[in-house]
Amino acid sequence: MSWDKGKETKSWKDIMEAEKYVYTLGEAGEKFLEGLKEGKIYGRKCRKCGRVYVPPRMYCEDCFEELDEYVTLRSPYIDSFTTIYYDDEGNKLDKPVSIAIIRFEGVKGGLLAYVEGEANQNKNVEIISYDIPLKVKVV
Ligand SMILES: [Zn+2]
């Protein structure tokens, strides 16, 4: 492969058998999934700068501190959403489906969720199912 302007890059086609790989959750991912089973959303807080991340991370991306404090997140709201009216084959759905990015005040990151009720930006929601993706209800 060359980065020189005007030259072609080389490529090849192959098949990746991704389904044969096993990924570990890691410490932070395991704690996050344990939280879902308990009906909680865990974030991880940086002791140096105070930033909180969800899903939890091992290191603060701003100050590179190792993170070791878990916090339970509260007051989720809709950051952005889309409403789907047709399936992937073009058939109209019986009922539209809304999917949103849920965020928490003062927390960096977000989670995907199905929305019950009329989705709108900045609307507060209640988490009604802690499966992945989450299911939330507009309050
Ligand atoms: Zn930090």
Side-chain angles (χ1 to χ4, degrees):
M1 185 163 67
S2 171
W3 297 102
D4 295 338
K5 210 171 187 180
K7 293 185 178 179
E8 286 185 34
T9 56
K10 293 179 181 173
S11 66
W12 67 93
K13 292 185 179 185
D14 203 349
I15 296 170
M16 286 182 65
E17 296 174 1
E19 71 272 3
K20 291 187 178 178
Y21 291 91
V22 175
Y23 294 95
T24 59
L25 296 170
E27 180 188 322
E30 192 171 322
K31 181 71 175 179
F32 178 72
L33 291 182
E34 282 175 14
L36 295 180
K37 284 183 185 173
E38 298 165 5
K40 295 178 180 173
I41 302 293
Y42 285 125
R44 216 162 190 196
K45 185 176 182 179
C46 177
R47 291 181 193 270
K48 187 175 178 185
C49 71
R51 191 176 297 268
V52 178
Y53 294 93
V54 70
R57 298 180 185 179
M58 293 299 291
Y59 292 91
C60 178
E61 68 182 32
D62 286 335
C63 60
F64 307 115
E65 281 290 306
E66 187 170 352
L67 306 179
D68 60 0
E69 181 182 358
Y70 288 98
V71 292
T72 303
L73 305 182
R74 303 187 194 294
S75 306
Y77 67 93
I78 295 174
D79 177 72
S80 56
F81 72 98
T82 188
T83 302
I84 301 161
Y85 297 92
Y86 296 90
D87 68 16
D88 58 354
E89 294 176 354
N91 303 310
K92 191 169 185 170
L93 299 173
D94 295 335
K95 187 179 164 194
V97 175
S98 291
I99 300 172
I101 297 293
I102 303 301
R103 294 195 192 272
F104 302 83
E105 200 62 47
V107 174
K108 191 164 187 175
L111 302 169
L112 196 61
Y114 288 110
V115 180
E116 268 188 23
E118 193 174 329
N120 237 322
Q121 199 170 22
N122 297 324
K123 282 264 190 176
N124 293 325
V125 293
E126 175 189 344
I127 299 171
I128 55 175
S129 169
Y130 287 82
D131 290 332
I132 298 176
L134 301 171
K135 190 181 277 184
V136 298
K137 183 176 167 185
V138 175
V139 291

